[in-house]
Amino acid sequence: MRARFVAGNWKMNGSLRANTGLLDALKAGLNKSGNVEYAVCAPFPYLGQVSAALSGSAIAWGAQNLSEHDEGAYTGEVSGAMLKEFGCRFAIVGHSERRALFGEDDARVAAKFIAARRAGLTPILCVGETLEQRERGETESVVGRQLDAVVSAAGAAAFKDAVIAYEPVWAIGTGRNATPQQAQDVHAFARARLAARDKALAGLTILYGGSVKPGNAKDLFAMPDIDGGLIGGASLSAPDFMAICAAARR
Ligand code: PEP
């Protein structure tokens, strides 16, 4: 059985004070249970706080981005090795906000995926189509291209234990989630596409992301190829995030 996983993406939200309340509540409410794993991906400046709060708990943590470079004259960038020093297990790469707002193309996303691996981090690779692409019937070609770019650059072996997040851009932060069947169809496609490169990749954890809330999580997570969620807005509320985690338990 594939592992279940729920990860929070705090985006550019939080404060020392707000994080303390959120982290305390998550730590008290989320215990090691069955085969569900949990993580929060915090803004860089709070990784020390998150590490101090969550060490020894059932919740792992990660970053929302990393540099494709290991060190040097890259003002403002943060390397995978730096994230490791703060105990990060995960790094999100290729989030649609980074693709759209910061010009990250497939090649750069692949370089970041490879940099995460070099640093011993588990990448959470985000893929997904825009509304226009979906309406033009291009969902599979877009998601296929985004996956192929990273598999070709990194090699199938680099995907061992990696996490994929299917996040339709039109569902992120809009309150409009994909239906369970829409999400399932793309997850099944992505799984088959990866398996075609290497049979072992059929067992990868594939998360759905896009306006997952306590009220829709159970139906989404009940689909056979959906292994959990990447949660944006709802991960800022401890009760909501914990309810979504509970929905991932089998
Ligand atoms: C995300 O940021 O990855 C995300 C899925 O956001 P939201 O849950 O707010 O749609």
Side-chain angles (χ1 to χ4, degrees), residues 9 11 95 97 167 171-173 209-212 230-233:
N9 172 17
K11 312 196 191 207
H95 192 281
E97 286 154 13
E167 299 208 308
I172 296 180
S211 298
V212 179
L230 181 57
I231 316 301

